[in-house]
Amino acid sequence: MTITVPKSRTRFRKAKERAFFYVVCGFSLLTAVPLLLIIWEVVRKGYRQISLSFFTENAPSTLDAMLAKTAGESIPGGIANGILGTLSMTLIATLIAIPSGILAGVYLSEKRKTAFAGIVRFLTELLQGTPSIVIGIIAYAWIVVPLGSYSMLAGSVALAGIMLPLIVRSTEETLNMLPSPLKEAGLALGAPYRSVVMRILVPSAFGGMFTGILLAVSRAMGETAPLMLTALGCATLNFDPLHPTSAVPLLIWEFYNDPNLVDLIWGCSLLLLILTLVLNIIAKRIAAKWKI
């Protein structure tokens, strides 16, 4: 028996689908407009500050900036001290967070039903939802107070605490996506359990793990609150991990509090925006290549 749907009902359904499609597109555009306006404002005002001296010279003093503005000249100096501090602390934080994060993720994937794994997973989720300022306070108590001074090392530990839960979760979830016969085949061939994990499972999950690491790095590079309690800031280039150092987010905060240096905020923001965008694009490309 053939059921015939009236044409009026068919047209009504198509009209509802079309209306729903336009509503979704409209709300998506409404959501994207503020973000596009913010990006345009940062690019429009930030590119004027970008020059060779912006990357090679230290942040100017208030007096230098005031004299330059009075003479109608561009603000001298740059943010070399902030760029060096951001890269140094991010590198040290990555070296701290990657080994511990990957090992913790492997344990959670392999022993997912044990009580201890449940506790570790709960603490990881708790750490991921902890405000960054609280992580900065913890790093202050652990590193700054015992050493007796602010330092690059303390800032790196704070950033590592921010990166760690992202790396743990991405490692665990990627390993859980691997087919179980992959592990069983390695064990069936007589390979030790350690070799199966480190030479078969981890390399197979490398794409997802690396994507999580990049996303963790991009988040840590833009943090300001924990660095205010740990790295503090420095007006010159610093290569000693036991001394205070500057960072691009810290410079943005310092420039914001100085009317003569406010214009440099846009250049710093544009630099952070570009770095974050590049890292996210790389993460997306890797995820697409590895079909994550």
Side-chain angles (χ1 to χ4, degrees):
M1 181 177 178
T2 304
I3 301 177
T4 304
V5 180
K7 291 184 178 180
S8 58
R9 183 176 298 180
T10 302
R11 286 195 298 266
F12 179 68
R13 289 179 179 176
K14 290 183 178 179
K16 287 197 302 182
E17 291 178 0
R18 192 178 300 110
F20 181 76
F21 173 76
Y22 288 140
V23 169
V24 171
C25 291
F27 278 108
S28 300
L29 181 62
L30 188 63
T31 304
V33 165
L35 177 61
L36 294 176
L37 291 177
I38 292 173
I39 294 176
W40 167 250
E41 190 71 10
V42 172
V43 173
R44 185 176 67 87
K45 294 184 178 180
Y47 84 94
R48 302 174 183 174
Q49 306 295 330
I50 302 299
S51 62
L52 181 61
S53 61
F54 186 77
F55 299 97
T56 58
E57 298 181 10
N58 293 330
S61 64
T62 302
L63 178 60
D64 293 336
M66 183 174 60
L67 293 176
K69 293 186 69 174
T70 303
E73 303 173 353
S74 59
I75 299 177
I79 58 169
N81 53 331
I83 294 174
L84 177 63
T86 295
L87 295 179
S88 300
M89 286 189 288
T90 303
L91 177 60
I92 297 175
T94 303
L95 295 177
I96 296 173
I98 286 180
S100 54
I102 290 178
L103 291 177
V106 170
Y107 176 82
L108 293 179
S109 176
E110 292 297 305
K111 306 292 184 180
R112 67 187 73 174
K113 295 182 179 180
T114 61
F116 184 68
I119 296 174
V120 174
R121 189 176 294 107
F122 172 77
L123 294 177
T124 301
E125 295 174 353
L126 182 64
L127 182 61
Q128 188 170 1
T130 302
S132 59
I133 187 67
V134 177
I135 297 178
I137 294 174
I138 296 173
Y140 175 86
W142 285 358
I143 308 297
V144 176
V145 173
L147 292 180
S149 67
Y150 300 93
S151 63
M152 180 193 300
L153 178 61
S156 302
V157 171
L159 295 183
I162 295 173
M163 296 169 59
L164 184 60
L166 294 174
I167 298 176
V168 172
R169 296 299 294 168
S170 63
T171 300
E172 180 189 6
E173 294 300 329
T174 307
L175 289 173
N176 289 341
M177 293 170 60
L178 296 178
S180 56
L182 187 65
K183 174 183 175 182
E184 296 171 357
L187 295 174
L189 292 174
Y193 177 73
R194 182 189 71 255
S195 298
V196 171
V197 171
M198 301 306 298
R199 296 187 179 184
I200 298 178
L201 299 183
V202 172
S204 300
F206 173 77
M209 293 162 52
F210 190 64
T211 300
I213 291 172
L214 289 180
L215 294 177
V217 170
S218 65
R219 180 192 172 187
M221 290 180 66
E223 289 291 342
T224 306
L227 300 183
M228 295 170 63
L229 299 173
T230 52
L232 187 62
C234 181
T236 60
L237 297 176
N238 173 47
F239 297 91
D240 190 347
L242 298 181
H243 284 76
T245 189
S246 185
V248 177
L250 281 177
L251 288 178
I252 293 177
W253 172 251
E254 294 173 6
F255 295 158
Y256 176 80
N257 292 308
D258 192 332
N260 299 300
L261 297 173
V262 169
D263 292 342
L264 289 176
I265 290 177
W266 300 104
C268 298
S269 302
L270 179 59
L271 178 62
L272 282 179
L273 182 65
I274 292 174
L275 290 176
T276 304
L277 179 63
V278 169
L279 289 176
N280 279 271
I281 290 176
I282 294 175
K284 293 291 185 181
R285 294 292 299 272
I286 293 175
K289 181 178 180 180
W290 290 72
K291 296 181 175 58
I292 300 172

